[in-house]
Structure formats: structure tokens, C-alpha cells
Amino acid sequence: MAACGRGLRRAVGASPHPALRRAHSDARGRLKPEYDAVVIGAGHNGLVAAAYLQRLGVNTAVFERRHVIGGAAVTEEIIPGFKFSRASYLLSLLRPQIYTELELKKHGLRLHLRNPHSFTPMLEEGTAGKVPRSLLLGTDMAENQKQIAQFSRKDAQAFPKYEAFMNRLALAIDPLLDAAPVDMEAFQRGSLLQRLKSLSTLKPLLQAGRILGAQLPQYYQVLTAPAVKVLDQWFESEPLKATLATDSVIGAMTSPYIPGSGYVLLHHVMGGLEGMRGAWGYVQGGMGALSDAIASSATAHGASIFTEKTVAKVQVSSGGRVQGVVLQDGSEVRSKVVLSSASPHITFLKLTPQEWLPEEFVERISQLDTQSPVTKINVAVNRLPDFLAAPNAPRGQPLPHHQCSIHLNCEDTLLLHQAFEDAMDGLPSHRPMIELCIPSSLDPTLAPPGCHVISLFTQYTPYTLAAGKAWDEQERNAHADRVCDCIEAYAPGFKDSVVGRDILTPPDLERVFGLPGGNIFHCAMALDQLYFARPVPLHSSYRCPLRGLYLCGSGAHPGGGVMGAAGRNAAHVVFRDLRSM
């Protein structure tokens, strides 16, 4: 077989295999001149918003720029026979209300829950003839403690207490995800009735305070301190700390040694699937199957979804209220409200006429931190990786560790920090942090028999390279080759198993999926860009200074991840506003 990166390739941004093309324009409604609501972008949040609005009796149309729905939650056959979750690749954060209220199981959603869920193999020198150690974590606490005790008995004893501590914080924050933040604009400048209504949104905050109680100061530290400082208070072994710290930096241009990284750690442990808190899983058929299920729920109630229909501009009446959109082909579509699941940058700086937005608001939007460290590499292989720390079965069938998030170059938190510092110097990391997932280990429909699809979520790669270099084909392949060399050290023979690959650097993620700076969250999940301040202070309740225009994507509260909360929350805010019009 071809060496890593030298086999069959498809160009970045290439169209998927014809079998995965979806004719949504024909199958899901004919374009009409007017709707009650228009949604810009058929990412998962946009689809969730449309599904809820339509169920509430609001006639809704969704317009998607690409040929396929889903935004970053999409399945594409970039290499013939191999179906990739091309951008997002795991499910956990999806709000349980959405799963049940939109009847996603009825609309075809099938999940493969992972247990165990985390595997960190070691590169250990001086152990000739011995199998290197590894750390395998799952839902069995006794087995977790046994695994951790290889590195520290003290840490094995502390781990259940740490999990309980973090779960309590996740439980406190949980209600905040399902409601709009306190509307500070209404509270400061609204009528007496509006001020009283805005006070009612304080209830989730008060609930959170009651749950945390006297431990509030310790929990405050988790939200504000460096992740390493938090982890150092619990544990002494680097493999465990580094494995947990990967969640604190995933998708973020930050280091576990930088204040505020503790919150991102929490953001990735607050999920669950099918009633199991903290569970992560693969979607049968790839992440695009989730988007298809949401779309099916929306269209079953009458929503219209159109692909290859790019919105060029938000239309505004002479009285300063949204009255619809103009498509790239010149078509005008009228509506009472417009919801945008695009990023704040695209929504407010590109699609909205600037004369209708206050200068201060535009300036704040333009200053949002959208840095991204991520290059996503999708790889087709003709056999499973064979890790030194966990050799393959004789017949090559998947073993428990193959279903995990496999953490490479994660033996020590300093390795993560050094990888971050490389990117700060404008260089792709010499030893990149790699999260390797093999969804075909549980879902064989994704690849031909005996073959597999592999998702490589790699950090850190800067958007802008040093010395004036561009992310051309040579630089893309140089980074991908470096990643494959790292994997080869843990799993000899990996490079020879590669059939083809798809490389998405930060500029590619921006161009293909509309992610500003390549940021999977639309803008950083930093404390100065959360809750009251997401996307900017005074405009965190999905509304914006232009009447009738709403933000419903990851750039709105509660932020990124395949959660759907922003779409659901925004739909309810819009419905209340429509009733009061």
C-alpha cells in the first residue's frame, strides 16, 4: 500500500461522492417569495432553530450555501468508499431535550456509545521486550482506578472524588445552557415590564449557586485558573493529567498552563447520551446523519430546506427592520425575522448592511478572538492501527481501545504547552497534540470491508505561518506527514496502511465551512466571550441592534460543540418576539 500521504488523494474542498449528494431543494420544498422566518445556514443549530419554529407554527425556510446540509456536522465521501465525518466527529453535548422533543430517533438517528472512551498509549524508552504502558478510561470506575494505579496509587484513589467534583459543577451549569442569558440591554434600558421579565432569567444562575453552595470559591477557580493548576491539586501523574488536560485545550488556541483553560475542560465533560452523563459516541452513518435527522424532523412539520442557495444580504426596510434576505442569484425572499447560524463575523460584517448597525457594535464584533489551532485530517486506511501498547487481535478485528479517543503526544502536560508555543511562533507544532478516532470500529458502514476511516484532530497549527509562508499543498502535506510520523512511532506500519487523506488547515476550515479563522466554536470559548458577553456584551440574548435579526449559531450562548442549544434557545426567543409583534 502507498506510504502515508502518497496514496490516493482528493483535493481539499472536493465534492463528495455522488451517492452522498442530497437534493434538498427538490425534496424539501419549493422556493416561495415569503416566509415567516428565514434561517441562514443549515448547520446543526440552524436546523434545530428551524425545526422548533416550524413546530410552533412559524413557516420557516433554511438557505444553505453548500451542496450538503449540516455545516460542520456533515458526512462526505471524499475518498470513494470511505465516508468521513469531515469536520465534527463525536457526539455528547447534544441537549437531551432536542433528542426527545424533535424525535430524532424516529427520524433515523442511531448512536454507537463508546466504552471505554479514552486511550493514551505511552512512548517509553528502555523497555525492550516489554509492552509500553497505556491509560484506558471508561465508565467502570474500579477499572479506571486500576489503570491509573499503574502510574500513581494516590491518583487512583483521588480520581472518583475528582469526577464527583466536576460532575457537580457540570450539574450546576447545565440549566444555564438551556435558557437565554439575562438580557442586560432590556434590564438597563427597557420598560418596567421588560426589566421584570429580564430578572426572571436569573433563575438558572440562582439554581447554579444553590447547587455549588459553600464550594463556590473552589469552582470559581476551575472556571478561571489554568487547567494544570486545577489538575495539580488533584493528581501527581503526568499521563493522567495530560489526558484530562487535552479536553481543556481541544479546539482552543490556548495552553493548559494559561488561565481560563479550566472552563473548556468543563465544557467537554458536561455532556451525555441516552441518559448516561459524560458519555460520548459515534453517529451511525457519520455526523451528517445527525443533521439529516434534525432536517427530517423540521421538514416533517413543513419547513423548507434549500441547498446551494447562498444568502448574499439581509434586507432592511426604510424603518430599520429586517424584511428578508437577498440570495446570490438575485432572488428576494421576504420574512418577518431572519435567524443566522453563520458566525458573528459573517452575519454582522458581511451579510448585514453596516449602516443599520451601531459603530461600537461592529467594532466589538470585528475584535472577537477567532484564533484556531486545529488542522483536521481525515484518513482512509486498509487496516486498523496496531499500537505497541495494545497489539491488534490476530484477525485484525477492532478491540476496545480502537473505539476510544486515542491521545498521542499526550504523556506530559509540558508536551501540550510546547506544541502551543510552536504555534505562537507561527509554526505547526513539532510534536502536535493528536486526537485519533476510528468511528468505523463501531460503525462498519463507513468503510469497505476490512478498511477504516480515521479522524485526526491535530493541534497546534496557526492560521498564519511564520516567514510569510502560505498554507499551500506543500505545507499541508508537510504537517500531515509530521502527524503520520508521530502515529507511526506509536503504531508501526500505520503509514503503509494509508489509502488516502483529506487535509483541512485553519484557512481550509474557514473556506469550506465558514468557520472564521478556522475556529470550530465561531469565536473563542474564553471567559470574556461567554454568557453575558457572547458574542458581545448587551447582545447575548440572540437579538442584535437590528430589529428582526437574530444569531442562532455557535457564536451565540452557550457556544460551540454539537450541542444545538443556541438554535433551540434562539427559536424560543424569536417565537416570543413574534407573538408580541
Side-chain angles (χ1 to χ4, degrees):
M1 270 296 163
C4 187
R6 297 292 182 256
L8 173 65
R9 288 205 196 107
R10 294 288 291 274
V12 176
S15 296
H17 192 270
L20 286 184
R21 287 187 178 276
R22 298 179 178 90
H24 292 285
S25 300
D26 295 329
R28 299 183 177 180
R30 300 290 178 178
L31 181 61
K32 296 187 290 189
E34 186 170 357
Y35 298 86
D36 295 330
V38 160
V39 177
I40 301 172
H44 81 280
N45 273 307
L47 293 170
V48 165
Y52 276 98
L53 286 172
Q54 194 69 44
R55 281 170 173 262
L56 291 166
V58 180
N59 190 20
T60 304
V62 183
F63 296 105
E64 169 57 41
R65 170 181 62 92
R66 297 191 71 211
H67 57 274
V68 61
I69 65 165
V74 66
T75 303
E76 295 191 67
E77 193 169 329
I78 303 301
I79 296 162
F82 295 84
K83 299 173 187 176
F84 295 105
S85 293
R86 198 176 179 201
S88 60
Y89 54 100
L90 281 171
L91 191 66
S92 175
L93 299 174
L94 183 71
R95 303 305 294 153
Q97 301 93 321
I98 294 172
Y99 185 83
T100 54
E101 290 167 358
L102 298 188
E103 301 175 290
L104 297 186
K105 192 171 184 178
K106 171 185 167 184
H107 289 282
L109 181 63
R110 300 291 181 270
L111 304 177
H112 295 279
L113 271 60
R114 307 188 309 168
N115 184 35
H117 55 74
S118 173
F119 176 62
T120 307
M122 305 289 115
L123 280 183
E124 294 182 315
E125 297 179 3
T127 56
K130 291 184 179 180
V131 174
R133 290 179 298 173
S134 62
L135 179 62
L136 188 69
L137 301 175
T139 58
D140 185 329
M141 183 57 73
E143 186 58 34
N144 288 343
Q145 289 180 287
K146 182 179 175 182
Q147 287 280 320
I148 294 167
Q150 298 177 88
F151 306 96
S152 166
R153 293 189 179 279
K154 176 186 171 187
D155 289 359
Q157 292 175 342
F159 190 67
K161 298 172 189 173
Y162 168 81
E163 288 279 279
F165 178 84
M166 294 300 290
N167 283 333
R168 187 175 181 185
L169 181 53
L171 189 67
I173 288 178
D174 198 66
L176 300 178
L177 305 179
D178 299 314
V182 178
D183 188 345
M184 298 306 295
E185 175 79 2
F187 185 71
Q188 289 184 12
R189 302 170 189 171
S191 65
L192 178 60
L193 181 60
Q194 287 174 319
R195 291 183 185 188
L196 289 173
K197 282 183 178 179
S198 70
L199 281 175
S200 69
T201 58
L202 284 171
K203 186 179 176 182
L205 276 175
L206 296 174
Q207 281 180 317
R210 280 200 300 269
I211 291 171
L212 299 181
Q215 283 189 294
L216 185 59
Q218 292 100 302
Y219 285 114
Y220 176 77
Q221 186 182 60
V222 173
L223 300 180
T224 57
V228 164
K229 181 177 180 181
V230 175
L231 293 169
D232 280 347
Q233 292 173 353
W234 289 92
F235 307 117
E236 61 185 9
S237 62
E238 280 299 323
L240 176 60
K241 287 191 290 183
T243 296
L244 297 173
T246 59
D247 278 338
S248 75
V249 297
I250 198 83
M253 186 60 90
T254 189
S255 157
Y257 286 81
I258 290 179
S261 53
Y263 173 75
V264 189
L265 170 66
L266 177 71
H267 184 75
H268 283 85
V269 298
M270 62 173 62
L273 289 174
E274 298 185 344
M276 292 181 60
R277 175 166 287 279
W280 287 80
Y282 298 121
V283 177
Q284 173 90 16
M287 292 297 285
L290 168 66
S291 299
D292 280 348
I294 301 169
S296 176
S297 178
T299 57
H301 286 78
S304 299
I305 301 172
F306 302 93
T307 53
E308 297 181 290
K309 291 285 186 185
T310 301
V311 172
K313 187 175 71 170
V314 174
Q315 274 197 308
V316 185
S317 71
S318 58
R321 182 175 180 86
V322 162
Q323 60 180 18
V325 297
V326 180
L327 304 181
Q328 200 169 59
D329 62 10
S331 304
E332 295 184 8
V333 182
R334 296 187 302 277
S335 64
K336 297 172 186 174
V337 294
V338 172
L339 297 81
S340 176
S341 67
S343 70
H345 273 186
I346 290 174
T347 302
F348 300 121
L349 304 184
K350 294 184 178 180
L351 299 182
T352 306
Q354 299 297 280
E355 63 269 23
W356 294 107
L357 295 173
E359 282 186 26
E360 182 184 1
F361 177 81
V362 170
E363 186 175 354
R364 280 184 176 271
I365 294 294
S366 66
Q367 291 171 349
L368 287 174
D369 177 7
T370 60
Q371 290 184 94
S372 168
V374 174
T375 288
K376 175 76 189 298
I377 307 173
N378 299 299
V379 183
V381 296
N382 61 16
R383 60 184 179 272
L384 284 169
D386 190 6
F387 292 95
L388 293 173
N392 281 1
R395 295 183 182 178
Q397 68 269 34
L399 296 174
H401 67 277
H402 285 121
Q403 67 185 266
C404 295
S405 291
I406 300 171
H407 306 288
L408 306 180
N409 291 337
C410 297
E411 291 92 337
D412 191 301
T413 54
L414 276 176
L415 282 175
L416 307 183
H417 184 65
Q418 288 161 1
F420 165 74
E421 287 188 320
D422 287 342
M424 288 293 95
D425 292 333
L427 304 170
S429 303
H430 292 97
R431 281 194 68 181
M433 183 184 100
I434 302 167
E435 182 170 288
L436 184 156
C437 290
I438 315 171
S440 52
S441 63
L442 291 179
D443 179 7
T445 68
L446 299 175
C451 296
H452 289 274
V453 294
I454 293 182
S455 165
L456 301 175
F457 199 79
T458 73
Q459 295 179 211
Y460 295 75
T461 50
Y463 184 93
T464 303
L465 295 172
K469 290 183 178 179
W471 275 112
D472 55 19
E473 195 69 14
Q474 181 178 345
E475 290 296 332
R476 280 195 196 98
N477 284 316
H479 174 67
D481 288 343
R482 190 178 304 112
V483 169
C484 287
D485 286 341
C486 289
I487 299 171
E488 183 79 11
Y490 291 90
F494 174 77
K495 295 200 302 186
D496 283 340
S497 73
V498 172
V499 176
R501 67 191 189 189
D502 170 48
I503 308 162
L504 294 163
T505 64
D508 296 322
L509 291 167
E510 180 176 69
R511 176 177 53 80
V512 176
F513 298 107
L515 303 173
N519 192 294
I520 62 172
F521 304 126
H522 286 192
C523 53
M525 297 286 288
L527 290 175
D528 63 339
Q529 292 182 175
L530 289 173
Y531 200 61
F532 295 118
R534 192 166 188 87
V536 296
L538 299 184
H539 297 288
S540 59
S541 61
Y542 309 102
R543 304 177 184 93
C544 79
L546 177 59
R547 286 181 299 157
L549 178 61
Y550 301 80
L551 194 65
C552 68
S554 293
H557 170 76
V562 183
M563 190 183 298
R568 180 178 183 270
N569 296 348
H572 287 304
V573 168
V574 169
F575 182 66
R576 287 196 296 270
D577 288 356
L578 284 172
R579 280 196 306 180
S580 66
M581 280 172 60

